Amino acid sequence: MQRSSRQIDLTDAGRALVPQARRLVAAMTDLQAVAAVHARRLQGNLRIGAIGGEAFMPYVIDILAELSARHPGIDVEIRSVNFVEQVYALPRGEIDAAFLRPPLPSGFRSMHLSSEPRIACLPADDPLVDQAPLTLADLCDHVVVDVPIPELRQWWDFWTVNPRPDGRPVRYGPVAGDMEALLSAVARGQAIAFLPAEARRDYSRRGVAYIDVVDLAPSTAALAWLPDSDHPLLTALLQAARAVLQHQTYGLDTPEPSTDG
C-alpha cells in the first residue's frame, strides 16, 4: 500500500489481491447466512395425541410428512388418547396438540381436516343387520354404550344423537372409556354405538357389524390445540397442516368430479 499526503493507494500487489478478497468476503457472507438458517432450524420433540385410529388417517399422515419435510429436526411422538384423555391431556400439558373427533371440549382451538359419514355399530347377530341400510327410528329401542365422565356428555350426545329427531332420549347402557371396551360391549350384545365410517377398516372385530344409517349427520376430524400455546413446534405443525389443506381435501370434503361435457 502506498501513502501520500492526500490519499492511500493500493500497490500493484494489493490490487492483484482484490478479486480474492471479494470472493472471501462473499464466501463469509454465504457462510453466515447458512449458519443463521441452521440456528433457526427447529429441533425438539412434539407430542401429538390421536384418538381411535386417527393416527393412520390420510390427512394425519400427509400433515406429519409435510412437517418432517419442512423441519427434519422435529421428532414427532404420537400418543394414543382414550375418551377421557382427550379432555385432559392438552390442558395438563401431556401433549402439545391432538387429532380428535369434534365436538371438542370448551376452550380448545381447532382446524377442520375432514368429514365422513357416521355408521351404526351393532352386534353381528342383531336382526337389523340384514335390513341395512337403517334409519335412526329403526334403532330407537336399542341401548347405546355410554361414556364415563360428565365432561364428555356434549360430545357423546352428538355421537349418539341424543335426543333423537323425534325428541326421545337415548337409553344408555354399559360404560366404555376407549374403543376396545366399546366394541367389546357391542360384540357381547350389551349395546350399540355410532362411529365414523372409517371404523369399518380400523376396527374390524369378531361379533361386530357396521351398518349404514341414512339419516345420520356426518362426523368431522380436527387438529386441536390450546389457544394460549406459545410453542414454535406447534406453530410449525399448524403451518404444515395449512399447507397440506391448501392443496388436498379428504373424505366428504373432496369435490365430486364434474359431469359437465
Side-chain angles (χ1 to χ4, degrees):
M1 184 177 295
Q2 296 175 335
R3 296 177 181 268
S4 70
S5 59
R6 295 183 179 180
Q7 64 182 19
I8 300 176
D9 294 325
L10 288 174
T11 64
D12 291 341
R15 283 192 289 272
L17 292 174
V18 167
Q20 289 90 337
R22 287 174 175 167
R23 285 194 291 270
L24 179 60
V25 171
M28 290 298 297
T29 301
D30 291 342
L31 182 61
Q32 290 173 346
V34 171
V37 169
H38 281 276
R40 293 193 302 268
R41 180 172 293 172
L42 294 177
Q43 294 182 333
N45 185 56
L46 186 64
R47 304 160 302 168
I48 304 176
I51 192 169
E54 286 299 286
F56 303 98
M57 297 298 288
Y59 42 83
V60 174
I61 293 172
D62 290 348
I63 290 170
L64 296 184
E66 177 72 16
L67 178 65
S68 178
R70 289 170 170 239
H71 303 286
I74 296 179
D75 294 322
V76 173
E77 177 186 352
I78 297 294
R79 298 186 181 182
S80 177
V81 296
N82 61 31
F83 298 160
V84 175
E85 290 167 341
Q86 69 170 325
V87 176
Y88 297 120
L90 268 173
R92 289 174 178 171
E94 297 170 5
I95 54 177
D96 304 303
F99 292 105
L100 302 176
R101 290 281 177 163
L104 300 178
S106 175
F108 284 24
R109 293 192 64 185
S110 66
M111 183 186 305
H112 175 85
L113 301 177
S114 178
S115 301
E116 68 176 286
R118 275 187 292 170
I119 56 176
C121 177
L122 275 63
D125 59 359
D126 189 301
L128 288 180
V129 171
D130 296 326
Q131 300 179 31
L134 304 176
T135 65
L136 284 169
D138 295 327
L139 299 165
C140 64
D141 294 327
H142 282 62
V143 173
V144 181
V145 175
D146 203 1
V147 287
I149 59 172
E151 291 87 344
L152 290 169
R153 190 77 273 148
Q154 180 182 6
W155 180 68
W156 203 234
D157 281 347
F158 165 80
W159 279 97
T160 60
V161 195
N162 181 38
R164 294 294 164 78
D166 62 2
R168 295 175 63 175
V170 169
R171 292 192 303 127
Y172 288 112
V175 172
D178 58 33
M179 281 296 298
E180 292 302 329
L182 179 151
L183 294 170
S184 176
V186 173
R188 287 180 286 138
Q190 294 182 319
I192 68 169
F194 299 96
L195 298 172
E198 186 65 22
R200 280 193 172 104
R201 180 182 306 174
D202 293 341
Y203 294 104
S204 176
R205 298 291 188 273
R206 185 178 291 107
V208 171
Y210 295 106
I211 308 300
D212 292 331
V213 180
V214 296
D215 51 350
L216 265 178
S219 67
T220 60
L223 173 58
W225 69 97
L226 294 182
D228 57 352
S229 296
D230 185 16
H231 194 323
L233 304 189
L234 171 61
T235 299
L237 173 65
L238 299 180
Q239 290 172 343
R242 293 187 184 101
V244 168
L245 295 174
Q246 284 180 351
H247 302 97
Q248 181 66 44
T249 54
Y250 302 89
L252 297 176
D253 297 338
T254 302
E256 294 184 2
S258 174
T259 57
D260 295 338

